[in-house]
Amino acid sequence: GTMMDNRFATALVIACVLSLISTIYMAASIGTDFWYEYHTLSPAENVSEAGKSIWEEFVSEEADEKTYTDALFRCNGTVGLWRRCITVPKNSHWYSPPENDMTTNCISFSLSDQFMEKYIEPGNHNSGTDLNRTYLWRLQFLLPFVSLGLMCFGALIGLCACACRSLYPAIATGVLHFLAGLCTLGLVGCYVAGIELLHKKLPLPDDVRGEFGWSFCLACVSAPLQFMAAALFIWAARTNRKEFTLLKAYRVA
């Protein structure tokens, strides 16, 4: 059965490569700030007038969702899972022409920000908790870590499988990759739903265009890679097991 072994080896190598790529994509998308981007068509003059106050509000501890979302609209903002960024003039003279000298400044969401409740009217504490948006936001923060964890755990089991020269654990690795793919899909779904709901509450101004950025695309690509890896792991393990059983039966006969 060397022919068979080669087929399984190839499948497993491809699965491992897909798994590695999807892990890298996932890690990169968690770590970057381009999940959603706002393109402000006329930012320069707004910023120079009110730039300093916008920046101070944007970074303040008290910045609520409405405050920082308005700043994102007005200053070519980008949002990641962990950080939000706006582009503002670099120099201290806010009245000088800002075109030449723009800098991007970012601030992280604190852990309490990640778990804080969202309000039915963003920024208005008396309007009650918007459960949908609150839980979508918490899920989009937790799911990528669950997904990465499952893949790392799968990789560990895979290593043990190599050490034991057995393909049975490959089924477990496949199942974990499948679950990781589901988490990644869930993350993408939660993110899209959260953004849609937010923009219903805080519609984009006329001169602002919003679009999903490349960090979001990396997560989207990661999910099918995880499913493909899962399918290959499970296929290799199951077919190998069947042929092994057939061989045994043949020998006994």
Side-chain angles (χ1 to χ4, degrees), residues 2-253:
T2 48
M3 177 62 202
M4 295 307 152
D5 299 345
N6 288 346
R7 254 185 21 204
F8 299 129
T10 311
L12 288 174
V13 167
I14 294 172
C16 291
V17 169
L18 290 175
S19 168
L20 184 67
I21 294 172
S22 67
T23 306
I24 292 169
Y25 279 6
M26 202 64 225
S29 80
I30 294 175
T32 48
D33 308 320
F34 296 90
W35 278 73
Y36 202 84
E37 304 175 29
Y38 296 100
H39 299 286
T40 317
L41 305 179
S42 53
E45 61 278 7
N46 311 352
V47 176
S48 45
E49 297 153 19
K52 204 155 193 131
S53 63
I54 289 181
W55 175 242
E56 279 162 7
E57 283 175 4
F58 188 69
V59 295
S60 85
E61 288 288 300
E62 284 80 57
D64 61 34
E65 195 179 23
K66 181 168 183 356
T67 314
Y68 73 70
T69 304
D70 284 342
L72 291 169
F73 287 168
R74 292 171 68 178
C75 306
N76 287 314
T78 62
V79 192
L81 295 182
W82 277 92
R83 301 203 306 170
R84 51 185 194 264
C85 305
I86 54 177
T87 304
V88 287
K90 197 183 251 165
N91 47 27
S92 50
H93 311 298
W94 290 88
Y95 48 81
S96 65
E99 292 80 55
N100 43 16
D101 223 14
M102 302 296 275
T103 171
T104 299
N105 291 323
C106 298
I107 179 159
S108 298
F109 291 108
S110 65
L111 263 181
S112 59
D113 284 343
Q114 299 283 17
F115 288 98
M116 210 161 62
E117 16 177 38
K118 308 274 182 211
Y119 299 105
I120 290 173
E121 289 172 29
N124 176 0
H125 302 259
N126 305 325
S127 60
T129 306
D130 187 333
L131 284 178
N132 284 349
R133 288 184 34 246
T134 303
Y135 283 101
L136 283 171
W137 187 278
R138 289 174 188 176
L139 280 172
Q140 86 188 24
F141 163 67
L142 294 170
L143 282 173
F145 294 107
V146 177
S147 174
L148 271 181
L150 287 168
M151 291 210 296
C152 295
F153 193 47
L156 278 176
I157 293 178
L159 285 174
C160 300
C162 291
C164 314
R165 300 181 166 247
S166 148
L167 268 178
Y168 294 131
I171 289 191
T173 303
V175 169
L176 287 171
H177 276 73
F178 180 74
L179 294 173
L182 287 180
C183 287
T184 308
L185 268 187
L187 156 69
V188 166
C190 287
Y191 195 82
V192 172
I195 285 282
E196 290 299 314
L197 289 171
L198 174 66
H199 289 165
K200 273 209 177 75
K201 301 280 163 71
L202 295 175
L204 289 172
D206 292 337
D207 62 342
V208 175
R209 216 178 68 244
E211 62 186 17
F212 291 99
W214 57 265
S215 306
F216 173 81
C217 297
L218 284 182
C220 293
V221 174
S222 189
L225 291 177
Q226 288 163 331
F227 287 130
M228 279 150 63
L232 283 169
F233 280 127
I234 293 171
W235 174 83
R238 288 203 48 195
T239 334
N240 190 43
R241 182 182 283 186
K242 261 191 212 138
E243 298 196 344
F244 189 65
T245 321
L246 282 173
L247 265 176
K248 253 196 197 148
Y250 180 69
R251 286 216 180 116
V252 171

